[in-house]
Amino acid sequence: MTSLLSRRGGRLSRARMALLLMGLTVPWMATGAEAGDPLQQRLDFSDASFRWPTRIRDTLTPPRWLPEGERFVYWSMVEPYRETWVLVDARRRTQQPLLDAESLRSQLTQLFGKPVAVSGAMPFTLTPDAKGIVFSVQGRAFTLGLTDRRVVERPATDPVALSLRPDNLLAPEGGAIAVQGDTGVKVVDAQGVTRMERTGEEDSTWKLPASAWSPQGRFLAVWREDTRGVHRIPLVDYGTALEQVTWAPYSKTGTPLMRSELNFVTVATGQVTAAPGDATERYDWLAGWRPDGSEALVLQLSRDGKRLDLVAVDPATGKHRRVLREERQETFVGALDFAVEGWSRQVTPLPDNRHFLWMSERDGWRHVYLYDYSGKLVRQLTRGAFPVHAVAGVSPKADVFFVLASAEPGAPYERHVYRASLEGGALKQVSAGPGMHRPVLSPSTRYFVDGHSSREQPRVWDVVSADGRQTFRYAKADTRALAELHYTPPEPLTVQAADGTTPLYGVLYKPWDLDPKKRYPVIDVIYAGPFTTVVPWSYVGTTESLVAHSLAQLGFIVMVLDARGTPGRSKAFQDVNYGRVGQTEIPDHVAALKQAGASRPYMDLERVGIQGSSWGGYFALRGMLTAPEFFKAGYAGAPGALTEEAIINEPNMGLLTENPRGYAAGSNEALADKLQGALKLMHGTSDVNASLSTTMRMAQALVRANKHFDLLILPGEAHSPRPPASRYFLDDVRRFFLRELGEPR
């Protein structure tokens, strides 16, 4: 590795060494550092600033509403009911612990025969009769009665106990459990009898979808996933002198996709019925069921993302029919954000078993539409120049529904809860306070839990009536431990895109001890992937915002921005870079930095760096190669490329055969000879998101162009390095920019 006190062209001057050692006193004592090592103290403080959310005590375990009585249970991490379960009555606006924390520990100690510590977050579920909760401690499951307040151990084979394990799915009313294995699936009834079992192989597996059970528990849906025709990338274990190689399936741009076949298990008989599809390459998701369980609802997205079908499948016969088709010829219907989580919000069955809600951007904004199961459009339910992100719930009578939307003027990314009518009409806001709201509705939809925060306001937990009038705050985050880090929220930033008209939103992070008379080097922490936003609108924010804040505490001004091409606003806003990924994003970021610096003399735009990982790594490279006079230093972690994973690239670029010029224009390798500033690359050898070959090809192109760069390889690490490699990587980023951009002047 290059020493901190060396750089291209020789050693640092005495003046720069003095600058490096000045101003290093920070309100943080290094842990594990040599006494008197000011640089290590700075790195430790920066790392503590990256991990500042871990100092917040908050009630993060999702609350569980009881089926009746407008009551719910939550696990509390704050006073006065810290580390126990609390029962809240929304109607009476009261809360009380099921038992105090000392009694909980005492009962568990008796059952274990030794003292037991409960964890910070305690996932739990309700018993099938809703008379108690079930939780797990050290691999053992227990029931806590809501009335008798007694803790009783449950058998290890109990279906409800097994449902606490990740990927296992409990049937409605708890009559059976679907157990996910490494490659196979089995169904076990309440008596512990295995009703069905399928054992797969490494390249032909059985997988449970999230909504596997039919509403009455009669059928279970299971995917059969076949990767035998998929391209494979090598993962090399360098831990011993005799290297071991494993191969991971990875569908690159233009190569075959995994094939999926939906199967249905009739639980009573154990019979498995296949629902075979055709040979068309596409992506499939089980979106849910009709309320009577007569049909499963499957979403099918074409490989290029231009066509989305809703298909209804009869679980008894495997026969299917197309209900509706959403199609775009000039752009995409769904991309990676859809594949990751958007599909689960796409369709909402209504209780009448005759209609469903459908999400569409057909009028230029994401809105809700009412359909029947013949595929007939009944009406558009929401309208306006704003996006609806999700349907949060539907009333039992199906006359009212609730959505999460960004409909407030001047706050295009904040998410609020709104009440809407199945007859159409204007939305009524029922959440209060700025920022990001996450509702959990009661079964009756008369109340909802609203966990919300903004950049300035730590998370609070309210109980809100469906008309938006009655609020009862039952918990709030405890942020007192942040005082030692001098945490302050970032400064909001509104600028114009490179087109001179489109407003863009971002934030600026600054050192806690900013001296506005000095000039600070600047870093652009970038992601810019066309399927997510990274600017924080909640208190904790995003990974990029945490990285930005930590870098700022070393003496930098750091920007985080959502440029054109990112989601969350209009369809036109995101389509700016359709087929042109890599061509519009950096100009927007450069324009934003120049506008920010024009009114902030403490920003030194002669010393600007750029940093990002994954798609951010691709764009960090992009900035160094397409704006080499502006960005003087860049650090690209695990960078992707347009030739990598198909689902990441093809829906946003079109197929390679149909858009070869767009793919060529977005290639970083082709621009290797443009590099001027200091560049460093990082990649883990076991990365199966952005394969190691992207960095190897980029390195090869730089070598051929005679451009010098630094490279950090993390053996055995995946796309996101784990400790201690993660700290090593982050410290390497910090050292790199201290070396290349220097100190405030």
Side-chain angles (χ1 to χ4, degrees), residues 677-706:
L679 173 66
K680 188 158 192 178
L681 308 175
M682 182 285 292
H683 222 116
T685 62
S686 295
D687 194 334
V688 293
N689 293 86
S691 66
L692 178 62
S693 66
T694 61
T695 288
M696 293 296 100
R697 292 195 306 275
M698 191 70 233
Q700 184 180 53
L702 291 166
V703 169
R704 288 174 174 172
N706 196 31

Side-chain angles (χ1 to χ4, degrees), residues 27-47:
W28 179 258
M29 294 303 295
T31 56
E34 294 183 8
D37 183 349
L39 173 59
Q40 188 60 52
Q41 290 181 12
R42 288 183 79 186
L43 295 175
D44 284 348
F45 182 70
S46 177
D47 196 68

Side-chain angles (χ1 to χ4, degrees), residues 145-215:
L146 299 184
T147 302
D148 62 16
R149 314 297 169 92
R150 292 181 59 240
V151 177
V152 178
E153 186 165 7
R154 298 183 77 97
T157 57
D158 176 71
V160 182
L162 290 171
S163 73
L164 293 172
R165 299 180 185 176
D167 300 326
N168 290 351
L169 297 175
L170 185 67
E173 301 180 2
I177 182 78
V179 179
Q180 179 68 65
D182 291 337
T183 62
V185 169
K186 66 179 179 179
V187 178
V188 181
D189 66 18
Q191 288 71 44
V193 177
T194 299
R195 292 297 186 90
M196 166 271 186
E197 184 170 10
R198 290 291 186 274
T199 302
E201 300 173 353
E202 183 178 358
D203 53 7
S204 181
T205 61
W206 295 79
K207 295 290 185 182
L208 291 170
S211 302
W213 286 104
S214 65

Side-chain angles (χ1 to χ4, degrees), residues 284-295:
D284 297 288
W285 299 272
L286 178 66
W289 297 76
R290 292 184 67 168
D292 66 356
S294 62
E295 290 180 309

